[in-house]
Amino acid sequence: MQTVRHFFPDLNAWLDRLPDSRVQEACTYSTRFLAWWGLLLYLLQLGSRRQLDYDLREGGPQVLPNLNRLAGTAQASLPVHDTLDHFVGHTPRAGWEGLRARLVRRLVRMKALDAARLLGLPVLLIDATGLLCFPRRQCPHCLTQRHGKHTLYLHQVLEAKLLGPGGVVLSLGSEFIDNADAADARGKSAEEVKQDCELKALARLLPRVHHEHPQLRFVLSWDSLYGCGTAFALAEPYDWPFVATFKEGRTPALWQEYQALLQACPKNRLRREWGDGLVQEYRWVQRLDYEDSEGREWQLAALECRERTAAGQEQYFAWLTPLPVGKKTVEEIARKGGRYRWKIENEGFNRQKNSGLNLEHVYSTDPEKWPVYYLLLQIAFILVQLLERGSLLRRLAAETGRPVGKLFGSLKNIARRLLESLRFVPWAEEWFDPALAGKLRIGLDSS
Ligand SMILES: [Zn+2]
């Protein structure tokens, strides 16, 4: 709680601003109270809306008083799960997007994420993932995918996640991919349809991110799907550089030119030998000319990392970027712009799918509400990560003489302990004192 107050002293006031005021008057519960009720669904990793009733409503003597302390309210009763669904229907998606933007802006201003910057710029990891999958059409926006005789109806999202220290990835922009993106799918391969969808969603995502964070110049971290002129042209208006996975199959001519020029630049080489026997060899070419299929001309650098472990395992990576690649920058670009991309897959999507966050669960029967539940999950996950990676938890563990992992056993257990505490432990007023929380020094784990 102190971690949340420390980073976001005005969070309750921000929650009040979620819906328009008309809605607030019609409801027995205050907006901030219901917003916390919804966030708890994910903070406590309950897995489904029904679980709110079992775990909280009938859950323990301290739930109501603790929730009132958390929200700064004086509600006389707890809501049922349908109340949340009703509330979600009346809080527009834009309200939640605005809240997420405030949370991220505050963390940026506090410089809490600065250790993860690449050449001084914040890194945005961009990737798409499947959200929901049904055997029957659910809404007019379902993407369709044929599998033999069967058709699957899908919902997908393109995410922009801001890279923080210690493996933290914070959701910053979400664009839902729908059937308009795949409108001209006829006669195209599955891979081409996927490219179409994601690039069209990217064309909506980048202007939205720029609109919400006009003061930030990002570096975009992309997989090979975005290693093409269409994506470069979408980033160009904002002067956002990128690091895109470089694959022969995506831009064959450029790949050949790169291989030829590498031979001509034998000095562009950096070798690192690590204590555990790991050897990394970086090579790069500073100026590659590339004309895309629309006749646009680009000048890019290409870099590669060849890695061999002591056991003899080899890996090869290559990237394209307009950033200045040289002996001083090549490692940082490869690491933060390239290698850390797996974090969006791992700590972003996999964690959200394979935990009580239950990303692929249908939280409402109303498709119109799915984006709001999605945003609730993303906002709660920002708070979860600050709690897990913040130094308060590490200090607590240190006081008991055990590392965080040993103290709780697993990340899932942290959520379970939080639930037990909400149910049975009267939360002290001073935990919510913004002056006290403001004096704390909380850093994110950068080990
Ligand atoms: Zn649908």
Side-chain angles (χ1 to χ4, degrees):
M1 292 312 120
Q2 280 185 307
T3 300
V4 171
R5 271 296 138 97
H6 170 77
F7 286 110
F8 311 116
D10 303 323
L11 183 53
N12 280 330
W14 291 349
L15 294 178
D16 287 337
R17 284 151 70 175
L18 281 168
D20 49 50
S21 50
R22 251 177 326 113
V23 179
Q24 269 165 298
E25 286 161 21
C27 191
T28 15
Y29 292 99
S30 76
T31 298
R32 55 166 80 176
F33 188 84
L34 285 178
W36 273 114
W37 188 249
L39 287 170
L40 283 170
L41 172 59
Y42 301 103
L43 288 172
L44 304 171
Q45 305 186 26
L46 300 180
S48 75
R49 200 148 45 81
R50 201 180 326 132
Q51 217 53 36
L52 278 171
D53 280 7
Y54 298 132
D55 283 330
L56 296 190
R57 207 177 138 72
E58 295 152 23
Q62 295 301 327
V63 175
L64 181 61
N66 280 342
L67 250 172
N68 274 326
R69 278 177 207 118
L70 186 60
T73 50
Q75 304 290 164
S77 67
L78 290 167
V80 293
H81 71 260
D82 280 339
T83 320
L84 176 63
D85 205 45
H86 184 78
F87 170 71
V88 161
H90 286 287
T91 42
R93 183 176 146 186
W96 295 100
E97 283 167 342
L99 172 63
R100 177 175 61 182
R102 279 194 201 101
L103 297 178
V104 172
R105 274 200 292 267
R106 163 95 181 146
L107 292 172
V108 168
R109 267 205 304 274
M110 294 177 83
K111 303 186 184 300
L113 312 171
D114 277 10
R117 287 187 173 219
L118 164 56
L119 305 183
L121 303 176
V123 178
L124 262 196
L125 311 171
I126 302 219
D127 206 358
T129 194
L131 276 185
L132 305 171
C133 181
F134 307 94
R136 274 181 299 279
R137 177 173 287 284
Q138 303 290 312
C139 77
H141 309 296
C142 288
L143 287 167
T144 55
Q145 207 175 71
R146 284 198 72 81
H147 287 267
K149 282 184 180 168
H150 303 282
T151 301
L152 291 177
Y153 297 86
L154 312 168
H155 277 245
Q156 296 179 340
V157 65
L158 182 68
E159 266 281 302
K161 291 196 197 285
L162 184 59
L163 182 67
V168 165
V169 285
L170 306 169
S171 175
L172 179 139
S174 312
E175 200 56 50
F176 297 89
I177 301 174
D178 65 33
N179 59 359
D181 296 322
D184 51 354
R186 210 169 284 250
K188 288 190 176 171
S189 70
E191 184 56 31
E192 284 171 317
V193 174
K194 180 172 153 44
Q195 284 172 12
D196 261 7
C197 286
E198 292 197 27
L199 288 169
K200 281 179 190 162
L202 184 73
R204 297 190 298 272
L205 178 70
L206 296 189
R208 195 197 281 260
V209 167
H210 179 258
H211 179 75
E212 282 181 354
H213 303 278
Q215 78 289 11
L216 290 179
R217 182 170 177 237
F218 296 103
V219 182
L220 305 171
S221 175
W222 278 334
D223 69 19
S224 63
L225 192 149
Y226 305 94
C228 66
T230 311
F232 303 160
L234 291 173
E236 198 184 27
Y238 314 112
D239 191 26
W240 291 348
F242 50 83
V243 179
T245 303
F246 189 15
K247 278 223 174 102
E248 183 175 6
R250 190 74 174 117
T251 43
L254 190 60
W255 181 266
Q256 275 178 12
E257 195 192 338
Y258 172 59
Q259 297 304 329
L261 283 173
L262 261 187
Q263 310 306 320
C265 317
K267 282 187 182 156
N268 292 355
R269 192 186 283 263
L270 180 76
R271 193 180 153 89
R272 286 268 184 244
E273 291 179 33
W274 300 90
D276 55 2
L278 181 76
V279 178
Q280 291 172 320
E281 189 169 64
Y282 297 93
R283 299 178 70 192
W284 61 92
V285 168
Q286 270 149 343
R287 271 179 293 279
L288 278 173
D289 291 313
Y290 167 52
E291 187 181 322
D292 68 25
S293 55
E294 311 278 315
R296 290 170 293 218
E297 289 178 3
W298 307 95
Q299 198 170 66
L300 301 167
L303 61 150
E304 63 176 49
C305 174
R306 206 175 285 276
E307 189 174 281
R308 204 179 63 247
T309 64
Q313 256 184 337
E314 289 207 27
Q315 280 189 291
Y316 175 82
F317 310 90
W319 301 276
L320 288 168
T321 182
L323 290 168
V325 183
K327 271 205 168 62
K328 282 188 182 145
T329 60
V330 67
E331 280 184 288
E332 190 179 342
I333 292 171
R335 195 174 69 247
K336 292 177 173 174
R339 302 288 295 277
Y340 280 0
R341 264 195 56 75
W342 67 269
K343 289 184 188 292
I344 188 172
E345 188 61 41
N346 226 43
E347 320 218 1
F349 300 139
N350 290 347
R351 172 91 194 276
Q352 292 184 357
K353 288 179 184 185
N354 303 310
S355 70
L357 294 164
N358 221 356
L359 183 71
E360 292 166 299
H361 175 73
V362 184
Y363 278 96
S364 174
T365 52
D366 180 357
E368 296 283 324
K369 295 177 185 170
W370 293 343
V372 173
Y373 280 100
Y374 180 83
L375 288 166
L376 255 171
L377 188 158
Q378 299 307 326
I379 289 164
F381 194 53
I382 291 176
L383 304 182
V384 165
Q385 290 182 87
L386 293 177
L387 195 72
E388 288 173 359
R389 309 280 179 169
S391 49
L392 268 197
L393 199 61
R394 266 185 319 198
R395 212 174 306 150
L396 178 73
E399 280 166 16
T400 67
R402 287 182 289 180
V404 173
K406 280 266 161 49
L407 184 62
F408 293 98
S410 71
L411 294 175
K412 194 176 143 202
N413 286 347
I414 297 181
R416 227 191 53 211
R417 289 286 194 88
L418 193 61
L419 172 62
E420 284 168 15
S421 157
L422 173 67
R423 288 160 69 171
F424 301 112
V425 180
W427 288 356
E429 287 297 339
E430 65 256 32
W431 297 353
F432 300 94
D433 184 341
L436 278 178
K439 281 188 207 136
L440 294 169
R441 292 176 62 88
I442 305 181
L444 294 176
D445 186 355
S446 53
S447 60

